[in-house]
Amino acid sequence: MRTTKAFTVIELLVTFGIIAVLATVAAPTYSKYRIRAKVSSMFTAASAAEFAVQNDYFNQNNSFAGITYSAGSQPFLIPQTSTISSMAISAGVITITGNSADLGGRSLVLVFTPSISNGEINWSCAITAAYVTYAPPQCQNTI
């Protein structure tokens, strides 16, 4: 008598069922991870604008009042990634608006506000309240 080695239909169905459950659990987690990475890139993009604000602050008699640049008016305000739709500075406050098409339909805004402490500029970061779960640890304040 000859025997053949093969998988039964039941074994195949169980295997496909397990894979389907794992995929169902993994997909939302992966999506959240991708959005977090994109928000992180928005956070990083603010560093050049922060440097410009700091430089202007000390060149304008220690005042943030005159530090205003419209979106795209300076090289450091031109988004280098498709995740950012615009960057602007108003009275030293940096506002970065995310591209909702690249962020899964989310209208996400990061705001960096300068403050002075012992002659140094410190930055506080805030994010759109609905999306605080996507923010880096140093940006847990909400708008």
Side-chain angles (χ1 to χ4, degrees):
M1 182 173 189
R2 219 169 75 162
T3 61
T4 58
K5 294 184 179 180
F7 294 107
T8 65
V9 172
I10 299 296
E11 291 172 330
L12 291 173
L13 287 175
V14 168
T15 302
F16 286 130
I18 291 171
I19 290 171
V21 168
L22 290 175
T24 303
V25 171
T29 304
Y30 177 69
S31 176
K32 191 173 183 178
Y33 167 78
R34 287 183 54 225
I35 299 297
R36 275 191 179 160
K38 290 177 181 185
V39 171
S40 235
S41 75
M42 291 172 63
F43 186 84
T44 303
S47 62
E50 286 177 359
F51 180 77
V53 169
Q54 290 172 349
N55 188 42
D56 286 354
Y57 173 80
F58 291 112
N59 289 332
Q60 294 183 13
N61 299 322
N62 300 338
S63 172
F64 291 114
I67 306 173
T68 300
Y69 299 104
S70 60
S73 66
Q74 300 294 320
F76 55 83
L77 292 177
I78 298 172
Q80 302 299 318
T81 175
S82 63
T83 304
I84 300 171
S85 65
S86 71
M87 294 173 63
I89 301 172
S90 178
V93 176
I94 302 166
T95 304
I96 301 176
T97 306
N99 179 357
S100 62
D102 202 42
L103 293 167
R106 294 165 182 85
S107 298
L108 202 139
V109 177
L110 289 175
V111 177
F112 296 85
T113 307
S115 62
I116 303 299
S117 175
N118 297 327
E120 291 184 17
I121 298 176
N122 299 309
W123 293 92
S124 64
C125 175
I127 189 170
T128 311
Y131 306 116
V132 74
T133 57
Y134 300 112
Q138 59 272 49
C139 190
Q140 294 294 313
N141 300 322
T142 58
I143 299 172

Short mmCIF file of all heavy atoms in Angstrom, two decimals, residues 43 46-58 64 67 88-95 111-117 120-126 138-139 141:
data_model
loop_
_atom_site.label_atom_id
_atom_site.label_comp_id
_atom_site.label_asym_id
_atom_site.label_seq_id
_atom_site.Cartn_x
_atom_site.Cartn_y
_atom_site.Cartn_z
N PHE A 43 8.23 66.80 13.45
CA PHE A 43 8.88 67.32 14.65
C PHE A 43 10.33 67.70 14.35
O PHE A 43 10.81 68.76 14.73
CB PHE A 43 8.82 66.26 15.76
CG PHE A 43 9.32 66.72 17.08
CD1 PHE A 43 8.52 67.43 17.95
CD2 PHE A 43 10.62 66.44 17.47
CE1 PHE A 43 8.99 67.85 19.18
CE2 PHE A 43 11.10 66.85 18.69
CZ PHE A 43 10.28 67.57 19.55
N ALA A 46 11.17 71.00 12.39
CA ALA A 46 11.10 72.27 13.11
C ALA A 46 12.46 72.77 13.57
O ALA A 46 12.61 73.95 13.87
CB ALA A 46 10.18 72.12 14.32
N SER A 47 13.46 71.91 13.62
CA SER A 47 14.77 72.31 14.17
C SER A 47 15.41 73.47 13.41
O SER A 47 15.98 74.38 14.01
CB SER A 47 15.72 71.12 14.26
OG SER A 47 15.97 70.61 12.98
N ALA A 48 15.31 73.49 12.08
CA ALA A 48 15.89 74.59 11.31
C ALA A 48 15.15 75.89 11.59
O ALA A 48 15.77 76.95 11.72
CB ALA A 48 15.84 74.26 9.82
N ALA A 49 13.83 75.81 11.69
CA ALA A 49 13.04 77.00 12.00
C ALA A 49 13.34 77.49 13.42
O ALA A 49 13.41 78.70 13.66
CB ALA A 49 11.56 76.72 11.83
N GLU A 50 13.53 76.57 14.36
CA GLU A 50 13.89 76.96 15.73
C GLU A 50 15.21 77.71 15.74
O GLU A 50 15.35 78.73 16.42
CB GLU A 50 13.99 75.72 16.62
CG GLU A 50 12.67 75.11 16.98
CD GLU A 50 12.81 73.83 17.81
OE1 GLU A 50 13.95 73.39 18.08
OE2 GLU A 50 11.78 73.27 18.18
N PHE A 51 16.16 77.23 14.98
CA PHE A 51 17.47 77.91 14.90
C PHE A 51 17.31 79.32 14.36
O PHE A 51 17.90 80.27 14.87
CB PHE A 51 18.43 77.09 14.03
CG PHE A 51 19.78 77.72 13.90
CD1 PHE A 51 20.70 77.66 14.93
CD2 PHE A 51 20.13 78.41 12.74
CE1 PHE A 51 21.94 78.25 14.82
CE2 PHE A 51 21.36 79.01 12.62
CZ PHE A 51 22.27 78.93 13.65
N ALA A 52 16.50 79.49 13.32
CA ALA A 52 16.28 80.81 12.73
C ALA A 52 15.61 81.75 13.74
O ALA A 52 15.99 82.93 13.85
CB ALA A 52 15.43 80.69 11.48
N VAL A 53 14.64 81.26 14.47
CA VAL A 53 13.96 82.09 15.48
C VAL A 53 14.95 82.49 16.57
O VAL A 53 14.97 83.65 16.99
CB VAL A 53 12.74 81.34 16.08
CG1 VAL A 53 12.19 82.06 17.31
CG2 VAL A 53 11.65 81.18 15.03
N GLN A 54 15.76 81.56 17.03
CA GLN A 54 16.75 81.88 18.07
C GLN A 54 17.72 82.95 17.57
O GLN A 54 18.04 83.91 18.29
CB GLN A 54 17.51 80.62 18.48
CG GLN A 54 16.66 79.65 19.25
CD GLN A 54 17.35 78.31 19.49
OE1 GLN A 54 18.39 78.03 18.93
NE2 GLN A 54 16.74 77.49 20.32
N ASN A 55 18.19 82.80 16.35
CA ASN A 55 19.12 83.77 15.77
C ASN A 55 18.46 85.15 15.67
O ASN A 55 19.06 86.16 16.06
CB ASN A 55 19.57 83.27 14.39
CG ASN A 55 20.67 84.12 13.82
OD1 ASN A 55 21.59 84.52 14.52
ND2 ASN A 55 20.57 84.40 12.53
N ASP A 56 17.24 85.20 15.16
CA ASP A 56 16.54 86.48 15.02
C ASP A 56 16.22 87.10 16.38
O ASP A 56 16.25 88.32 16.53
CB ASP A 56 15.24 86.30 14.23
CG ASP A 56 15.49 86.09 12.75
OD1 ASP A 56 16.66 86.21 12.31
OD2 ASP A 56 14.52 85.81 12.02
N TYR A 57 15.91 86.28 17.37
CA TYR A 57 15.59 86.79 18.71
C TYR A 57 16.77 87.60 19.26
O TYR A 57 16.59 88.72 19.75
CB TYR A 57 15.27 85.62 19.65
CG TYR A 57 15.10 86.03 21.09
CD1 TYR A 57 13.90 86.59 21.53
CD2 TYR A 57 16.12 85.88 22.02
CE1 TYR A 57 13.73 86.97 22.84
CE2 TYR A 57 15.97 86.26 23.34
CZ TYR A 57 14.77 86.81 23.75
OH TYR A 57 14.61 87.19 25.05
N PHE A 58 17.95 87.06 19.17
CA PHE A 58 19.11 87.75 19.72
C PHE A 58 19.55 88.92 18.83
O PHE A 58 20.15 89.88 19.32
CB PHE A 58 20.27 86.78 19.94
CG PHE A 58 19.98 85.80 21.06
CD1 PHE A 58 19.79 84.46 20.80
CD2 PHE A 58 19.84 86.23 22.37
CE1 PHE A 58 19.49 83.57 21.82
CE2 PHE A 58 19.55 85.35 23.40
CZ PHE A 58 19.37 84.01 23.12
N PHE A 64 10.60 88.48 20.38
CA PHE A 64 10.01 87.57 19.40
C PHE A 64 9.01 88.31 18.49
O PHE A 64 8.59 87.77 17.47
CB PHE A 64 9.27 86.43 20.10
CG PHE A 64 10.17 85.47 20.81
CD1 PHE A 64 10.12 85.36 22.18
CD2 PHE A 64 11.06 84.68 20.10
CE1 PHE A 64 10.95 84.46 22.84
CE2 PHE A 64 11.89 83.79 20.75
CZ PHE A 64 11.84 83.68 22.12
N ILE A 67 9.53 88.48 14.65
CA ILE A 67 9.96 87.25 13.97
C ILE A 67 8.74 86.59 13.33
O ILE A 67 8.07 85.77 13.93
CB ILE A 67 10.67 86.29 14.95
CG1 ILE A 67 11.81 87.01 15.66
CG2 ILE A 67 11.18 85.07 14.20
CD1 ILE A 67 12.46 86.21 16.76
N ALA A 88 5.14 77.86 9.03
CA ALA A 88 5.13 79.31 9.14
C ALA A 88 5.56 79.72 10.54
O ALA A 88 5.50 78.91 11.48
CB ALA A 88 3.74 79.86 8.83
N ILE A 89 6.01 80.97 10.66
CA ILE A 89 6.43 81.51 11.96
C ILE A 89 5.70 82.83 12.16
O ILE A 89 5.70 83.69 11.29
CB ILE A 89 7.95 81.74 12.01
CG1 ILE A 89 8.70 80.43 11.78
CG2 ILE A 89 8.36 82.37 13.34
CD1 ILE A 89 10.20 80.58 11.64
N SER A 90 5.07 82.98 13.31
CA SER A 90 4.39 84.22 13.66
C SER A 90 4.76 84.60 15.09
O SER A 90 4.45 83.86 16.02
CB SER A 90 2.88 84.03 13.53
OG SER A 90 2.21 85.21 13.92
N ALA A 91 5.42 85.74 15.24
CA ALA A 91 5.90 86.22 16.54
C ALA A 91 6.71 85.15 17.26
O ALA A 91 6.60 84.96 18.47
CB ALA A 91 4.73 86.70 17.40
N GLY A 92 7.53 84.42 16.51
CA GLY A 92 8.40 83.40 17.07
C GLY A 92 7.78 82.04 17.22
O GLY A 92 8.47 81.05 17.46
N VAL A 93 6.47 81.93 17.09
CA VAL A 93 5.76 80.66 17.23
C VAL A 93 5.78 79.94 15.88
O VAL A 93 5.33 80.48 14.87
CB VAL A 93 4.31 80.87 17.71
CG1 VAL A 93 3.56 79.56 17.78
CG2 VAL A 93 4.30 81.56 19.07
N ILE A 94 6.28 78.71 15.89
CA ILE A 94 6.40 77.92 14.66
C ILE A 94 5.18 77.01 14.55
O ILE A 94 4.86 76.27 15.48
CB ILE A 94 7.69 77.06 14.69
CG1 ILE A 94 8.91 77.95 14.85
CG2 ILE A 94 7.78 76.19 13.44
CD1 ILE A 94 10.17 77.19 15.23
N THR A 95 4.51 77.06 13.41
CA THR A 95 3.34 76.21 13.16
C THR A 95 3.63 75.33 11.96
O THR A 95 3.95 75.83 10.88
CB THR A 95 2.09 77.06 12.89
OG1 THR A 95 1.88 77.93 13.99
CG2 THR A 95 0.87 76.18 12.71
N VAL A 111 2.66 72.87 16.98
CA VAL A 111 2.97 74.27 17.30
C VAL A 111 4.12 74.27 18.30
O VAL A 111 4.04 73.63 19.35
CB VAL A 111 1.74 74.99 17.87
CG1 VAL A 111 2.10 76.41 18.28
CG2 VAL A 111 0.60 74.99 16.88
N PHE A 112 5.17 75.01 17.96
CA PHE A 112 6.34 75.14 18.83
C PHE A 112 6.38 76.58 19.34
O PHE A 112 6.49 77.52 18.55
CB PHE A 112 7.63 74.82 18.06
CG PHE A 112 7.69 73.40 17.59
CD1 PHE A 112 7.10 73.02 16.40
CD2 PHE A 112 8.32 72.43 18.35
CE1 PHE A 112 7.14 71.71 15.96
CE2 PHE A 112 8.36 71.12 17.93
CZ PHE A 112 7.77 70.75 16.73
N THR A 113 6.30 76.73 20.66
CA THR A 113 6.26 78.06 21.28
C THR A 113 7.53 78.29 22.09
O THR A 113 7.86 77.48 22.96
CB THR A 113 5.02 78.17 22.20
OG1 THR A 113 3.87 77.80 21.44
CG2 THR A 113 4.87 79.57 22.73
N PRO A 114 8.23 79.41 21.81
CA PRO A 114 9.45 79.70 22.56
C PRO A 114 9.15 80.40 23.89
O PRO A 114 8.16 81.10 24.03
CB PRO A 114 10.22 80.63 21.62
CG PRO A 114 9.15 81.35 20.87
CD PRO A 114 8.00 80.37 20.74
N SER A 115 10.02 80.17 24.85
CA SER A 115 9.96 80.91 26.12
C SER A 115 11.40 81.13 26.59
O SER A 115 12.31 80.40 26.20
CB SER A 115 9.16 80.13 27.17
OG SER A 115 9.79 78.90 27.46
N ILE A 116 11.59 82.14 27.40
CA ILE A 116 12.93 82.50 27.88
C ILE A 116 13.06 82.08 29.34
O ILE A 116 12.20 82.37 30.17
CB ILE A 116 13.18 84.01 27.75
CG1 ILE A 116 12.98 84.46 26.30
CG2 ILE A 116 14.55 84.39 28.26
CD1 ILE A 116 13.92 83.80 25.34
N SER A 117 14.17 81.40 29.65
CA SER A 117 14.47 81.01 31.02
C SER A 117 15.97 81.13 31.22
O SER A 117 16.75 80.45 30.55
CB SER A 117 14.00 79.57 31.27
OG SER A 117 14.38 79.15 32.55
N GLU A 120 18.08 81.71 28.15
CA GLU A 120 18.07 80.67 27.12
C GLU A 120 16.66 80.49 26.58
O GLU A 120 15.68 80.64 27.30
CB GLU A 120 18.56 79.34 27.68
CG GLU A 120 20.02 79.31 28.03
CD GLU A 120 20.49 77.94 28.48
OE1 GLU A 120 19.76 76.95 28.22
OE2 GLU A 120 21.54 77.85 29.09
N ILE A 121 16.60 80.13 25.30
CA ILE A 121 15.29 79.89 24.69
C ILE A 121 14.93 78.42 24.86
O ILE A 121 15.70 77.54 24.48
CB ILE A 121 15.30 80.27 23.20
CG1 ILE A 121 15.59 81.76 23.05
CG2 ILE A 121 13.98 79.92 22.55
CD1 ILE A 121 15.71 82.24 21.63
N ASN A 122 13.77 78.17 25.42
CA ASN A 122 13.24 76.81 25.57
C ASN A 122 12.00 76.70 24.70
O ASN A 122 11.27 77.67 24.52
CB ASN A 122 12.88 76.53 27.03
CG ASN A 122 14.09 76.63 27.94
OD1 ASN A 122 15.11 76.03 27.67
ND2 ASN A 122 13.98 77.44 28.98
N TRP A 123 11.78 75.51 24.18
CA TRP A 123 10.66 75.29 23.28
C TRP A 123 9.65 74.34 23.91
O TRP A 123 10.02 73.31 24.45
CB TRP A 123 11.15 74.70 21.96
CG TRP A 123 11.98 75.66 21.19
CD1 TRP A 123 13.34 75.78 21.24
CD2 TRP A 123 11.52 76.66 20.30
NE1 TRP A 123 13.75 76.80 20.41
CE2 TRP A 123 12.66 77.35 19.82
CE3 TRP A 123 10.27 77.04 19.84
CZ2 TRP A 123 12.56 78.40 18.91
CZ3 TRP A 123 10.18 78.08 18.94
CH2 TRP A 123 11.32 78.75 18.48
N SER A 124 8.37 74.72 23.81
CA SER A 124 7.32 73.79 24.19
C SER A 124 6.57 73.42 22.92
O SER A 124 6.39 74.24 22.03
CB SER A 124 6.37 74.40 25.22
OG SER A 124 5.70 75.51 24.67
N CYS A 125 6.16 72.19 22.86
CA CYS A 125 5.52 71.67 21.65
C CYS A 125 4.09 71.27 21.99
O CYS A 125 3.83 70.74 23.07
CB CYS A 125 6.31 70.46 21.14
SG CYS A 125 5.54 69.62 19.76
N ALA A 126 3.18 71.54 21.07
CA ALA A 126 1.78 71.12 21.23
C ALA A 126 1.31 70.52 19.91
O ALA A 126 1.80 70.88 18.84
CB ALA A 126 0.91 72.30 21.62
N GLN A 138 8.29 64.19 23.82
CA GLN A 138 8.54 65.58 24.20
C GLN A 138 7.47 66.54 23.66
O GLN A 138 7.58 67.73 23.83
CB GLN A 138 9.94 66.03 23.79
CG GLN A 138 10.24 65.93 22.32
CD GLN A 138 10.79 64.58 21.90
OE1 GLN A 138 10.25 63.55 22.23
NE2 GLN A 138 11.86 64.59 21.14
N CYS A 139 6.43 66.01 23.05
CA CYS A 139 5.37 66.84 22.48
C CYS A 139 4.00 66.29 22.86
O CYS A 139 3.22 65.90 22.00
CB CYS A 139 5.53 66.90 20.95
SG CYS A 139 4.46 68.12 20.17
N ASN A 141 1.72 68.02 24.82
CA ASN A 141 0.73 69.07 25.07
C ASN A 141 -0.26 69.10 23.91
O ASN A 141 0.07 68.71 22.81
CB ASN A 141 1.41 70.44 25.22
CG ASN A 141 2.39 70.45 26.36
OD1 ASN A 141 2.14 69.85 27.40
ND2 ASN A 141 3.51 71.12 26.17
#
